[in-house]
Amino acid sequence: MMFTQKLKITVITLFLIYIVITVFSVTEILAGQNDEEINRKVETLLKEMTLEEKVGQMTQVTFQVISVPENENKGFPVDMNKLETAIMTYHVGSILNTPYDKTQSLDTWIKVTTSVQDTAKKTRLKIPVLYGIDAIHGATYTKGSTLFPQAISMAATFNRDLSRKEGEITAREVRACGIPWNFYPVMDIGRQPLWSRFWETCGEDVYLASEMGKAYIEGQQGDNYGSPDKCATCLKHYVGYSFPVNGKDRSPAWISERMIREYFLPTFEEGVKAGSPTVMINSAEVDGIPGHANYHYLTEILKGELKFEGFTVSDWEDIKRLYTRDKVASSPKEAVKIAVMAGVDMSMVPFDFTFYSLLLELVKDGEVPMERIDDAVSRILRVKFKTGIFEDPYHQESMAKKFATEESEKINLQSARESIVLAKNEGTILPLNKKSKILVTGPTANLLHVLNGGWTVTWQGDDESLYPENKLTVVKAIEKKCEDKVTFVEGSTFDKEVNIEKAVEEAKNNDIILLCLGEKAYCESPGSIENLTLDEGQLNLARAMIKTKKPVILLLLEGRPRIVTEIAEEVSVVIVGMRPGMEGGRAIADILFGDYNPDGKLPFTYPRNTNGITLYDYKPIENFETNKYNPLYPFGHGLSYSTFETSGLTLDKKAVKKGETVKATVTVKNTGHIAGKETVLLYLNDVAAQVSRPNRQLKGFEKIYLNPGESKSVIFEITPQSMSFIGIENKRIIEPGEFKVFVGTMEENFVVE
Ligand code: BGC
């Protein structure tokens, strides 16, 4: 009896151990966590590779290098001879970009990526090519793809779940093309509103940008970016790129290491922790050191301190520019040496094979050690193994079936709705009555590109002729809602002067004016400006519309907060729409007519004046004597058609030891008459510290849905990380002392002992 019982227990125990081991290893394989096996494969492969093959892996060229001229393209844009030269002769490891800088059909993409991988299979070691693309708000360069709000607008949703879904959908649509690598998310912080890439960021706050970025990575990569429906991400642009002193793209930033660590590094730290396997480098310079020459940031901090095991890729032509532009190198060859030795693993050359030839020479001359090459190539191969392209380098047929589904469009529409910020709502104009007579005017009223911005169908995003015909501009979306009772005054493209007289004349026959202003699509350096104030042409139209005394709704579709104070103060309604994406027109119409209750909040400070760029987390000195935080609209601002009351802020502890967490609880009630979403924001202030602390910093946000009269409690965890800052020694520390917690108009405090 005893024996049988023992036997039974042993059998059951063994069985359980077996199950645990099996489940564990299956999960491990599924999760792509089998790092040891991958490392072994990489080591074996590396031993077989020639120096030429290794240096080739570190070389990335743009599509143009393998392209037939556009006028000779007969449905297959690849020149097979050029492709073979790139892959067979130069052993190129990666290709990027789209044919002719414009959107292509899914079918063309499949042909392109198939031919690339077929050619790679003809090489001695059959190492697949890692194709990379800028799918920054969806599959930018694939016709009919789901194109989401741009980052600045996604951030306005304060909705992690939507960011996660954007990642998921983008991964599917990019993989359907045969592309396993996306140069996204942008982890730069938007603290310089002049910057032409402001809209590519999640705005000025470190915590919000980290949370949205992390959620995107989770969505795009899942547990295993080698799955057929997932895709590898790329954090960019490491580090400090987004804060140019003069506001111009690719110009110097002066940011001390303390401020880098406090404001610009944390998003990358979070991205690395979330498992992003690649990092693209800052195209400009910080404190006089070009991003691509910065050993301290690339090797010591990123690869050392942050333990980043993936690979770094240069930005466009930036290794060459160490010589041609920055003059930190005295020859193209020295530029390659500086960059590789600083820690750049892959060069986006992108137009030729000079990097390949120069790096070969440098290794042969003993100027770049073989260990550095082996390190870079191992990193690259590891990512290639993890993307699953060694097993199956081709497009995913099952994903092609899930391309731009109705469900994706629905999620995109919801993202667009949640991204729209109702900044001012005086009187009773909104929501609009579907029977009202509306005059719509202004340059952003009838264009899709103003909703989308750069990296949409083309790099600059402004070629309206390439946009899908079935998507709705603001005017078209409004017409749909109110049975065509809309007057639209043409002459409103950015190239033509707006016909102001006609607009004034038409205003007389209408009840309400929807004034659509803002910026055309742009991207990178071509989008640099000298003056943040909106141009006179648009301001003149606005002044004339205000003069008619008809109620004016100002809608802003723009990539950065252009100064509009003079007119914003005169109109009844201001909607900050930024870049809400392909469903933006529908989303705006839904909000205007009350079919959706607005819930977006500003992820940045909307300045009142061109030089009034004090941000919400200002230092005490910025609000001292004559200095003031006096924006047009503050960070976190956004109205609803409902009203919400937040009350009862309580902390579970009044004193904690270093390393402990404090829980904060509040109750939110919908005190209005319609259902809606409210985002609760929790801020923290470290009252006295060795380095001056911001007056407040966002440390928690939750978006909740409430029916009229409904209440919910929201719990926040104030973690040790939230209480920490970068001290005098440039290290993250927590100092004992008092902390203030703010939610809405409430304030509580606790002490770290
Ligand atoms: C941009 C990057 C982009 C790269 C590849 C560069 O000009 O700065 O953000 O990923 O081009 O297209």
Side-chain angles (χ1 to χ4, degrees):
M1 188 70 177
M2 279 295 281
F3 177 75
T4 352
Q5 221 167 16
K6 263 190 190 164
L7 189 71
K8 259 191 196 166
I9 292 169
T10 319
V11 169
I12 290 170
T13 316
L14 285 175
F15 181 69
L16 285 176
I17 292 172
Y18 168 78
I19 296 273
V20 167
I21 291 173
T22 319
V23 169
F24 183 71
S25 43
V26 168
T27 328
E28 214 180 36
I29 290 163
L30 284 177
Q33 295 304 320
N34 211 339
D35 286 351
E36 254 178 48
E37 196 189 320
I38 286 180
N39 286 344
R40 269 198 306 275
K41 284 185 185 167
V42 169
E43 236 174 79
T44 314
L45 187 52
L46 202 65
K47 281 194 193 123
E48 287 184 48
M49 290 170 79
T50 62
L51 174 61
E52 286 74 8
E53 284 163 342
K54 289 178 182 173
V55 168
Q57 284 302 311
M58 295 169 69
T59 307
Q60 184 189 52
V61 293
T62 186
F63 187 85
Q64 206 175 310
V65 171
I66 58 159
S67 170
V68 294
E70 192 170 2
N71 55 3
E72 289 169 27
N73 174 25
K74 297 194 178 66
F76 181 59
V78 179
D79 178 327
M80 287 308 288
N81 290 329
K82 288 185 185 167
L83 178 63
E84 287 194 359
T85 306
I87 296 180
M88 316 284 287
T89 313
Y90 292 98
H91 317 285
V92 158
S94 178
I95 300 178
L96 85 149
N97 226 339
T98 184
Y100 319 118
D101 177 37
K102 61 167 87 123
T103 185
Q104 304 293 330
S105 66
L106 184 55
D107 202 43
T108 303
W109 270 117
I110 293 173
K111 285 189 208 153
V112 167
T113 50
T114 304
S115 68
V116 167
Q117 302 301 0
D118 281 348
T119 310
K121 283 213 163 146
K122 289 196 224 155
T123 59
R124 196 174 72 88
L125 297 171
K126 304 184 180 21
I127 302 176
V129 167
L130 189 61
Y131 207 108
I133 202 82
D134 293 280
I136 81 158
H137 63 132
T140 304
Y141 295 126
T142 312
K143 283 186 184 152
S145 64
T146 310
L147 291 170
F148 279 84
Q150 294 283 4
I152 198 71
S153 292
M154 285 305 292
T157 70
F158 279 79
N159 189 332
R160 299 170 180 91
D161 198 37
L162 291 173
S163 187
R164 193 172 297 113
K165 288 190 171 132
E166 180 192 5
E168 280 170 15
I169 291 167
T170 305
R172 289 207 292 266
E173 299 194 4
V174 164
R175 273 283 183 160
C177 301
I179 301 175
W181 185 25
N182 182 12
F183 305 134
Y184 201 66
V186 167
M187 290 304 228
D188 300 314
I189 303 292
R191 296 179 73 87
Q192 165 53 287
L194 269 174
W195 190 42
S196 56
R197 307 190 75 170
F198 181 83
W199 52 272
E200 289 185 59
T201 75
C202 280
E204 73 198 45
D205 183 66
V206 179
Y207 178 72
L208 174 62
S210 302
E211 290 296 293
M212 296 303 278
K214 261 188 331 197
Y216 183 91
I217 295 166
E218 281 163 23
Q220 188 153 304
Q221 298 193 161
D223 289 338
N224 171 15
Y225 58 82
S227 302
D229 60 342
K230 296 292 171 194
C231 174
T233 55
C234 180
L235 311 172
K236 65 190 192 181
H237 307 79
Y238 183 84
V239 58
Y241 175 43
S242 59
F243 200 51
V245 180
N246 68 16
K248 300 283 167 59
D249 185 37
R250 291 178 162 85
S251 65
W254 300 349
I255 318 173
S256 72
E257 187 170 329
R258 180 172 312 106
M259 291 303 147
I260 281 277
R261 287 178 177 277
E262 178 93 42
Y263 293 95
F264 300 95
L265 192 63
T267 43
F268 288 93
E269 279 181 271
E270 291 299 330
V272 170
K273 272 194 226 149
S276 187
T278 70
V279 167
M280 192 184 291
I281 300 161
N282 172 2
S283 209
E285 63 171 61
V286 174
D287 291 351
I289 315 229
H292 293 74
N294 204 324
Y295 177 80
H296 181 49
Y297 285 161
L298 291 176
T299 299
E300 292 181 336
I301 296 187
L302 178 65
K303 294 179 180 176
E305 216 179 287
L306 306 192
K307 302 192 173 52
F308 171 66
E309 288 181 352
F311 72 86
T312 61
V313 58
S314 85
D315 202 343
W316 191 264
E317 216 176 40
D318 280 326
I319 296 185
K320 282 187 181 184
R321 286 178 185 155
L322 294 178
Y323 165 67
T324 58
R325 182 190 63 188
D326 305 318
K327 310 288 179 200
V328 294
S330 57
S331 67
K333 189 168 168 179
E334 196 189 4
V336 171
K337 179 177 170 183
I338 290 173
V340 172
M341 292 314 290
V344 183
D345 299 315
M346 181 184 279
S347 169
M348 191 186 285
V349 190
F351 294 111
D352 55 43
F353 305 104
T354 48
F355 171 82
Y356 170 89
S357 319
L358 294 172
L359 186 53
L360 262 188
E361 281 177 28
L362 285 161
V363 181
K364 285 180 183 159
D365 297 348
E367 300 227 22
V368 170
M370 202 58 201
E371 299 81 69
R372 176 73 264 275
I373 301 293
D374 283 347
D375 171 49
V377 178
S378 303
R379 288 169 178 272
I380 294 166
L381 291 178
R382 213 156 37 224
V383 175
K384 286 195 175 186
F385 275 110
K386 287 194 171 189
T387 53
I389 55 177
F390 271 94
E391 290 88 57
D392 179 6
Y394 297 106
H395 82 279
Q396 298 299 325
E397 192 54 43
S398 55
M399 291 305 109
K401 292 200 184 92
K402 290 190 181 158
F403 188 87
T405 59
E406 258 174 49
E407 178 63 12
S408 310
E409 188 180 299
K410 242 165 87 184
I411 295 166
N412 192 13
L413 174 62
Q414 184 59 18
S415 307
R417 286 166 168 165
E418 295 197 26
S419 79
I420 307 292
V421 177
L422 178 61
K424 179 179 182 185
N425 187 16
E426 277 179 11
T428 51
I429 303 158
L430 287 188
L432 290 175
N433 184 322
K434 288 186 181 151
K435 298 212 168 71
S436 310
K437 289 168 79 187
I438 308 164
L439 165 69
V440 184
T441 186
T444 59
N446 201 23
L447 293 168
L448 287 171
H449 80 244
V450 296
L451 297 165
N452 285 283
W455 303 112
T456 314
V457 305
T458 61
W459 171 48
Q460 288 298 307
D462 60 349
D463 191 342
E464 190 71 16
S465 69
L466 295 176
Y467 274 71
E469 280 166 14
N470 60 344
K471 296 293 168 187
L472 301 180
T473 63
V474 172
V475 180
K476 295 203 175 115
I478 291 174
E479 279 171 355
K480 276 212 146 181
K481 294 257 181 207
C482 51
E483 297 132 28
D484 297 333
K485 266 195 272 17
V486 170
T487 313
F488 172 52
V489 173
E490 261 294 358
S492 57
T493 67
F494 283 99
D495 308 324
K496 290 190 224 148
E497 236 337 85
V498 178
N499 191 339
I500 295 182
E501 274 160 39
K502 187 155 179 238
V504 171
E505 206 42 48
E506 289 293 352
K508 292 180 190 152
N509 311 319
N510 283 281
D511 308 323
I512 288 156
I513 301 167
L514 176 63
L515 176 62
C516 306
L517 305 183
E519 296 184 307
K520 62 181 274 205
Y522 54 81
C523 200
E524 302 191 49
S525 306
S528 289
I529 49 170
E530 296 282 324
N531 186 346
L532 202 54
T533 305
L534 199 67
D535 59 273
E536 271 299 293
Q538 295 193 62
L539 287 178
N540 281 337
L541 172 69
R543 289 173 189 133
M545 291 299 95
I546 290 164
K547 245 184 159 172
T548 65
K549 301 278 185 230
K550 296 275 170 152
V552 176
I553 301 168
L554 171 63
L555 169 66
L556 295 166
L557 294 169
E558 54 191 4
R560 62 200 138 195
R562 300 301 292 260
I563 304 299
V564 290
T565 308
E566 165 202 344
I567 55 172
E569 278 173 355
E570 298 293 326
V571 299
S572 317
V573 174
V574 179
I575 299 172
V576 181
M578 302 310 287
R579 298 293 195 211
M582 218 44 114
E583 305 303 331
R586 287 169 69 192
I588 288 162
D590 282 349
I591 285 172
L592 286 172
F593 290 99
D595 295 333
Y596 189 78
N597 186 5
D599 55 43
K601 291 204 186 283
L602 283 178
F604 59 90
T605 297
Y606 206 112
R608 183 177 291 278
N609 296 301
T610 47
N611 285 355
I613 49 177
T614 303
L615 305 184
Y616 91 90
D617 51 355
Y618 55 81
K619 295 295 189 73
I621 201 171
E622 291 178 280
N623 196 33
F624 190 66
E625 295 180 340
T626 53
N627 293 341
K628 284 275 165 308
Y629 179 58
N630 182 28
L632 182 61
Y633 307 118
F635 173 88
H637 173 69
L639 306 170
S640 160
Y641 294 150
S642 200
T643 46
F644 298 95
E645 203 181 84
T646 312
S647 60
L649 172 63
T650 46
L651 306 181
D652 71 334
K653 294 179 203 110
K654 291 298 269 180
V656 287
K657 298 205 171 56
K658 265 191 214 175
E660 287 180 353
T661 294
V662 175
K663 264 192 198 150
T665 311
V666 293
T667 304
V668 192
K669 182 172 185 193
N670 183 345
T671 49
H673 300 292
I674 54 168
K677 289 188 181 180
E678 169 69 332
T679 303
V680 191
L681 305 171
L682 178 136
Y683 298 93
L684 197 65
N685 167 242
D686 184 347
V687 175
Q690 56 176 240
V691 172
S692 75
R693 301 310 303 141
N695 82 98
R696 56 175 61 196
Q697 282 183 307
L698 187 74
K699 296 296 178 186
F701 64 87
E702 284 310 322
K703 191 168 193 174
I704 49 169
Y705 179 86
L706 290 168
N707 285 311
E710 193 185 0
S711 298
K712 275 185 191 157
S713 39
V714 179
I715 301 173
F716 295 97
E717 298 227 319
I718 306 170
T719 60
Q721 174 77 13
S722 307
M723 300 170 205
S724 70
F725 68 97
I726 308 297
I728 287 177
E729 306 289 337
N730 284 353
K731 300 240 160 56
R732 190 166 281 284
I733 55 168
I734 300 174
E735 273 190 340
E738 187 191 349
F739 284 80
K740 286 184 181 164
V741 181
F742 308 96
V743 180
T745 51
M746 294 173 289
E747 184 184 321
E748 273 296 329
N749 62 345
F750 67 90
V751 170
V752 173
E753 287 166 343

